[in-house]
Amino acid sequence: MTNTAPTPKPLAGWRVLVPRGGPWGDSVAADLRSKGASPVVAAMINFAPTADAPALEAALARLANGDFDWMTVTSATTVDVLSAQRAVVPPTTRVAAVGETTAAALAAAGYHVDLVPSEDNSARGLLAEWEAATQGAFPLRILTLRSEIAKPLLTEGLRRIGHDVESVVAYRTVGVPVPETVVQDVRNGLVQAILVTSGSVAEQVQQQLGPVPESTLIAAIGPQTARDARAFGLRVDVIAAERTAASLIDSVARVALSRAAATQADNS
């Protein structure tokens, strides 16, 4: 009987900074471990209630009353807000999710999902498919829920088409200081990769950890996040092919394999 050596995992020996905690952070950490990495979970952002709670409460009351034809949801955090507020989405109101992650969060919270962009998981992608998905019907009454710092791309795009759009801030994003040990590990090159999942995270990485050593891979979850990161002065080394955590981890694993192959070639 011949013993074959187990195939090494692509991220063996890599410490990867996961910038969000909670269920998302736990899930990503588990996926990283399955590929051999040692995840460092250090939440860099958190979410605070909207500064205009009465406006949100009024909008959700109108939602429950069936006053909207559609509601758009652009993040899993917005779903957390809907759940916390015990928001009721009547069957007459259709729900558009900006991407698969948000759609999964809506389904897990017990809400129905009627539209997810098939190609581009972003506000731009949702706009591109909107008229076909709604058979060109307008004016529709639409509730758009967003974070305080989100660019109103979706709201403005829907208004340009001619829809009646009510845009409400569902939450605020605030920075969270990471432990000093994490700061020192990054500065000393002891973290091989940092996952950047939003412009807010990019801002905190640059403020708290910058300048990040050149040897540390900075991976962005999508093109918009990469643009936001660069606007904050944070370089981006790789961009996920799809706007999902799984694709983000895969992009890091590919670089790790490439670096390992290059090192092996140099040593042979």
Side-chain angles (χ1 to χ4, degrees):
M1 179 182 292
T2 58
N3 291 324
T4 56
T7 304
K9 294 182 177 180
L11 289 173
W14 278 53
R15 295 181 74 213
V16 180
L17 180 63
V18 180
R20 286 176 55 191
W24 188 93
D26 292 342
S27 173
V28 169
D31 288 347
L32 285 165
R33 288 190 193 98
S34 73
K35 293 184 183 296
S38 297
V40 180
V41 180
M44 304 195 77
I45 56 172
N46 206 340
F47 306 98
T50 172
D52 193 354
L56 177 62
E57 290 166 8
L60 294 181
R62 291 184 58 207
L63 174 68
N65 288 337
D67 289 358
F68 298 103
D69 300 307
W70 281 84
M71 175 178 70
T72 65
V73 183
T74 55
S75 72
T77 304
T78 302
V79 181
D80 293 339
V81 173
L82 290 171
S83 295
Q85 296 280 343
R86 294 193 172 93
V88 174
V89 182
T92 52
T93 299
R94 303 184 76 188
V95 179
V98 79
E100 295 167 3
T101 302
T102 304
L106 281 162
Y111 295 109
H112 61 273
V113 181
D114 302 284
L115 174 60
V116 184
S118 58
E119 296 292 332
D120 181 1
N121 280 193
S122 69
R124 191 172 282 103
L126 186 57
L127 276 173
E129 298 184 29
W130 185 269
E131 290 193 67
T134 59
Q135 287 80 50
F138 81 94
L140 295 169
R141 296 165 302 165
I142 304 170
L143 173 63
T144 60
L145 298 173
R146 60 184 179 84
S147 75
E148 184 179 54
I149 62 171
K151 300 176 179 69
L153 176 69
L154 185 57
T155 298
E156 291 174 357
L158 291 170
R159 283 176 177 158
R160 275 197 299 272
I161 295 171
H163 297 302
D164 178 9
V165 183
E166 181 171 342
S167 179
V168 178
V169 172
Y171 62 92
R172 294 178 294 124
T173 304
V174 294
V176 176
V178 299
E180 184 60 27
T181 54
V182 173
V183 176
Q184 291 305 319
D185 283 354
V186 170
R187 289 182 179 166
N188 292 330
L190 301 177
V191 172
Q192 282 70 41
I194 297 174
L195 306 183
V196 178
T197 55
S198 68
S200 302
V201 167
E203 182 179 18
Q204 292 303 315
V205 169
Q206 179 65 3
Q207 285 184 0
Q208 297 192 49
L209 306 177
V212 177
E214 291 290 330
S215 59
T216 301
L217 184 77
I218 300 178
I221 202 166
Q224 184 58 56
T225 296
R227 285 191 288 270
D228 290 343
R230 289 168 181 143
F232 287 120
L234 182 70
R235 76 169 199 281
V236 174
D237 301 306
V238 64
I239 301 172
E242 299 174 8
R243 293 172 176 82
T244 64
S247 181
L248 182 60
I249 293 169
D250 285 344
S251 70
V252 175
R254 280 193 295 273
V255 174
L257 287 171
S258 175
R259 288 186 180 180
T263 300
Q264 190 172 23
D266 290 342
N267 293 335
S268 61

